[in-house]
Amino acid sequence: MSDIFIGIDLGGTNIKVGCFDNQLKLLSKTAVSTGADMGPDIVIDRMVETIEKLLSDADLSLEDIVSVGIGTPGPANYRQGIIINSTNMPKFKNVPITKMLSNKLERPVEFDNDANVACLGEYVCGAGKGVRDMVFFTLGTGIGGGIICDGRLVHGCCDNAAELGHIIIYPDGRLCNCGQKGCVEAYASAGSTARRAAEAVKSGAPSSLKKLLEEKGEITCRDVYEHLENGDELARRITDETARALALLCVNMLHVTEPERFVFSGGMIAAGDVLLDGIKKYFGELIWKLKQETVQICFAALGEDAGIIGAAALAKKIC
Amino acid sequence: MSDIFIGIDLGGTNIKVGCFDNQLKLLSKTAVSTGADMGPDIVIDRMVETIEKLLSDADLSLEDIVSVGIGTPGPANYRQGIIINSTNMPKFKNVPITKMLSNKLERPVEFDNDANVACLGEYVCGAGKGVRDMVFFTLGTGIGGGIICDGRLVHGCCDNAAELGHIIIYPDGRLCNCGQKGCVEAYASAGSTARRAAEAVKSGAPSSLKKLLEEKGEITCRDVYEHLENGDELARRITDETARALALLCVNMLHVTEPERFVFSGGMIAAGDVLLDGIKKYFGELIWKLKQETVQICFAALGEDAGIIGAAALAKKIC
């Protein structure tokens, strides 16, 4: 019998599953479509079948599993192991996923939100390796986060800590989807960066993005960074504001949990050095001068595998 | 032999010492002047004499001590037990206080900064009792802080976490002593509240504080809250801005560590309900509407004893 840990990244589109040894070395992985519209029972059966197949391909069986970790987007009650509801999986309402999965697999199941799990993955095996204090950001449609203090994930009193996209950086500023005004998410997520560019074009700012907007009817964050590369002045201003907002977020988080490293992840980091260099530049300008800060600001290293690796680390109760 | 824990609150003016049983019940306490200008050797001798006297008054001796905790203002290297330097004790430079005190007392000595120690005191025996996640603010000349996550003090990678006064709430705003612009400390500390009032009066805002400023040459934070009570409109505006700035701080901290309770301490809480109610009002206005927040916002309960109680809790390694 081997000491196998299973990591599951449950999303609205795909279920990703990884099989790990007790050193958290990835032995094999796979992804299947979630089929969320079939409802939780069938999705959970599909998860179990996927795990069985993955194990059998490696001449292993369910009995080789020590424990299983799973990450999903919230809202969920992670301590009780219940998905309360899910934007991408409308049939998931008050689903006791931990218990259901644990009953099928006859193994303990650990459960946390997708951002915490990806944070844990980067902490254990990726860009956060070697530090004890780290802050992790996901830059996608919104901005999510994860915090590790002295080697432990910060959950908060009700599992809603690290909602880092909703730190207010510009009071009375842009309205955020959450109802607050001036959240960093309303400025610096991929969605908001694209939205700010489209608004500026519509209000008459000269830009090479104008033609694109007219043709496609929308602008993506990727478009903005591409036009920046081609020298567009509006794209420069918009991406500059994104970098400054993220730098403000880093300054504030440094004064709260004082991480040794900030790790940015999510689709938007495809923008590359221009994004990272911008954040670093503004961080240097905005941070206090009382002492020299040595915090590192970097991109995530694990890509799409962060979720399954973090879920396996969760299973292994590393944090 | 009794199980005695000693808590020391070392300030520039006074050394406060408390003697506690192993349930952290305060048995006796005293305060003596620090005599900081005599240098660290004499101050440490004075501490030891004060502890001995306190114990002997209770028919106890140094041998009854299990361990000792001490809190001081920074900058210090708390892990190594060294006071690097001190604004209020200029002769304290690179003083290995933990080792010096431990050698004299022949007992282990635990050391942390004064805000963390007071936070710990409130957490164990005061306004934070009964919760596992709390954020603590000190409102004085500046704004300090302490954070407890899942029952543990957050120190950060280099012992500089919880510098909560330097969270930027208004980018490009008022210059803070730290060199950043728009820190909450530059708006909502006792010092800044008084300063904003004086600036407004000097720039011609009508106020009953004008006469006071002319007579005394300065305005204190206490003056501002007194004139608020007497219906002064400028005092209302200034204290309103203070409350709003502190509410912004709470909104942001809720999204970071999600405490169950915010505890405000320091001289400024003498302003009473008008301050607390203002913070709560703006918190309700500013916080997101995604869910109903139930976090409590309250004042500290231990007054000046928080330091010695927290230091004893530190000695007992409760966090």
Side-chain angles (χ1 to χ4, degrees):
Chain A
M1 207 176 85
S2 307
D3 288 352
I4 296 296
F5 294 87
I6 298 291
I8 305 173
D9 180 355
L10 172 61
T13 310
N14 290 310
I15 303 166
K16 295 176 198 151
V17 180
C19 173
F20 297 82
D21 71 11
N22 66 4
Q23 300 301 306
L24 288 188
K25 191 181 152 213
L26 179 61
L27 303 176
S28 57
K29 64 174 180 172
T30 189
V32 295
S33 69
T34 306
D37 53 343
M38 317 263 258
D41 284 305
I42 290 178
V43 170
I44 285 164
D45 283 345
R46 186 169 289 189
M47 265 187 229
V48 174
E49 286 157 21
T50 309
I51 294 168
E52 279 176 327
K53 174 79 171 50
L54 203 60
L55 289 167
S56 108
D57 286 352
D59 285 330
L60 296 164
S61 74
L62 290 182
E63 291 186 353
D64 293 297
I65 299 175
V66 178
S67 63
V68 176
I70 178 166
T72 70
N77 185 323
Y78 295 98
R79 279 168 226 209
Q80 290 183 28
I82 296 168
I83 297 180
I84 296 169
N85 60 58
S86 166
T87 320
N88 299 322
M89 302 186 289
K91 288 194 177 163
F92 280 62
K93 285 201 191 304
N94 299 312
V95 176
I97 186 144
T98 301
K99 197 173 164 196
M100 289 169 79
L101 201 54
S102 169
N103 283 347
K104 297 259 181 191
L105 296 170
E106 295 180 347
R107 287 293 179 276
V109 174
E110 301 292 329
F111 180 44
D112 209 332
N113 80 60
D114 53 352
N116 276 352
V117 167
C119 172
L120 192 51
E122 291 290 341
Y123 173 70
V124 172
C125 299
K129 210 170 164 179
V131 305
R132 296 278 299 167
D133 293 273
M134 137 181 179
V135 173
F136 173 80
F137 305 104
T138 59
L139 305 178
T141 313
I143 295 181
I147 304 169
I148 299 206
C149 285
D150 196 19
R152 298 203 314 178
L153 266 170
V154 173
H155 285 99
C157 67
C158 306
D159 282 336
N160 292 301
E163 284 285 1
L164 305 181
H166 301 289
I167 289 181
I168 296 175
I169 55 164
Y170 297 122
D172 301 319
R174 292 173 65 86
L175 185 64
C176 183
N177 289 331
C178 76
Q180 290 179 181
K181 283 182 181 170
C183 296
V184 64
E185 176 168 307
Y187 292 85
S189 66
S192 295
T193 300
R195 218 154 22 244
R196 286 191 297 106
E199 286 169 13
V201 169
K202 283 176 192 164
S203 70
S207 168
S208 54
L209 288 160
K210 186 167 188 284
K211 192 160 165 269
L212 189 77
L213 182 62
E214 284 166 359
E215 284 169 11
K216 291 203 311 178
E218 63 166 9
I219 293 173
T220 65
C221 183
R222 181 188 296 258
D223 294 330
V224 181
Y225 279 95
E226 275 174 14
H227 284 243
L228 167 69
E229 210 170 313
N230 296 331
D232 183 60
E233 174 55 24
L234 177 69
R236 194 203 54 74
R237 179 166 67 76
I238 296 290
T239 56
D240 221 46
E241 284 168 6
T242 294
R244 188 169 191 267
L246 295 174
L248 272 167
L249 182 60
C250 289
V251 167
N252 286 350
M253 284 306 301
L254 187 78
H255 295 318
V256 179
T257 65
E258 200 200 19
E260 197 170 338
R261 207 168 288 164
F262 289 111
V263 177
F264 286 89
S265 75
M268 200 169 138
I269 68 171
D273 284 349
V274 68
L275 172 60
L276 197 59
D277 292 347
I279 299 170
K280 287 179 183 173
K281 183 191 85 167
Y282 281 113
F283 181 84
E285 288 178 22
L286 293 163
I287 191 69
W288 63 9
K289 307 295 177 267
L290 284 187
K291 64 196 240 338
Q292 183 68 36
E293 295 300 342
T294 56
V295 62
Q296 296 161 328
I297 303 177
C298 65
F299 282 157
L302 301 179
E304 299 240 315
D305 285 346
I308 53 171
I309 296 172
L314 198 67
K316 215 177 161 216
K317 295 193 177 178
I318 280 185
C319 260
Chain B
M1 208 177 84
S2 307
D3 287 350
I4 296 295
F5 294 86
I6 298 291
I8 305 173
D9 179 355
L10 173 62
T13 311
N14 289 310
I15 303 166
K16 294 175 198 154
V17 180
C19 172
F20 297 81
D21 70 12
N22 65 5
Q23 300 301 306
L24 288 188
K25 191 181 153 212
L26 179 61
L27 303 176
S28 57
K29 64 174 180 173
T30 188
V32 295
S33 69
T34 307
D37 53 342
M38 317 264 259
D41 284 305
I42 291 178
V43 170
I44 285 164
D45 282 345
R46 186 169 287 189
M47 266 187 227
V48 174
E49 286 157 21
T50 308
I51 294 168
E52 279 176 326
K53 174 80 171 51
L54 202 61
L55 289 168
S56 106
D57 286 351
D59 285 330
L60 296 165
S61 74
L62 290 182
E63 291 184 355
D64 292 297
I65 299 175
V66 178
S67 63
V68 176
I70 178 165
T72 69
N77 185 325
Y78 295 99
R79 279 168 226 208
Q80 290 182 28
I82 296 168
I83 297 179
I84 296 169
N85 60 59
S86 166
T87 319
N88 300 321
M89 302 186 289
K91 288 193 177 164
F92 280 62
K93 286 201 192 302
N94 299 313
V95 177
I97 186 145
T98 300
K99 196 174 164 194
M100 289 170 78
L101 200 54
S102 169
N103 283 347
K104 296 258 181 192
L105 295 170
E106 294 178 350
R107 287 293 179 276
V109 174
E110 301 293 328
F111 180 44
D112 209 332
N113 80 60
D114 53 352
N116 276 352
V117 167
C119 173
L120 193 51
E122 292 290 341
Y123 173 70
V124 172
C125 300
K129 211 171 165 179
V131 305
R132 298 277 298 165
D133 294 271
M134 138 182 179
V135 174
F136 173 80
F137 305 105
T138 58
L139 305 177
T141 313
I143 295 181
I147 304 170
I148 299 206
C149 286
D150 196 19
R152 300 202 313 179
L153 265 170
V154 173
H155 284 98
C157 68
C158 307
D159 282 337
N160 291 301
E163 284 285 0
L164 305 181
H166 301 290
I167 289 181
I168 296 175
I169 55 165
Y170 297 123
D172 302 318
R174 292 173 65 85
L175 185 64
C176 182
N177 289 332
C178 76
Q180 292 178 181
K181 284 183 179 168
C183 295
V184 63
E185 176 168 309
Y187 292 84
S189 66
S192 294
T193 299
R195 219 155 20 243
R196 286 191 297 107
E199 285 168 12
V201 168
K202 283 175 191 164
S203 68
S207 168
S208 55
L209 287 161
K210 185 167 189 285
K211 190 159 167 270
L212 188 77
L213 181 62
E214 285 167 0
E215 284 170 10
K216 289 202 310 176
E218 63 166 8
I219 293 173
T220 65
C221 183
R222 180 187 296 258
D223 295 330
V224 181
Y225 279 96
E226 276 175 13
H227 283 243
L228 167 69
E229 210 171 316
N230 296 331
D232 183 59
E233 174 56 23
L234 177 69
R236 194 202 54 73
R237 179 165 68 76
I238 296 290
T239 56
D240 221 45
E241 285 168 3
T242 294
R244 189 169 191 267
L246 295 173
L248 273 168
L249 181 60
C250 289
V251 168
N252 285 350
M253 285 305 300
L254 187 77
H255 295 318
V256 180
T257 67
E258 199 200 20
E260 197 171 338
R261 208 168 286 163
F262 288 112
V263 176
F264 285 90
S265 74
M268 201 170 138
I269 69 171
D273 284 349
V274 69
L275 172 61
L276 199 57
D277 292 346
I279 299 170
K280 288 179 184 174
K281 183 190 86 165
Y282 280 113
F283 181 83
E285 288 178 20
L286 293 164
I287 191 69
W288 63 9
K289 308 297 177 263
L290 285 187
K291 64 196 244 331
Q292 183 67 37
E293 294 300 342
T294 55
V295 63
Q296 297 162 327
I297 303 177
C298 65
F299 282 157
L302 302 179
E304 300 241 316
D305 285 346
I308 54 171
I309 296 173
L314 198 68
K316 215 175 163 221
K317 294 192 179 180
I318 281 184
C319 260

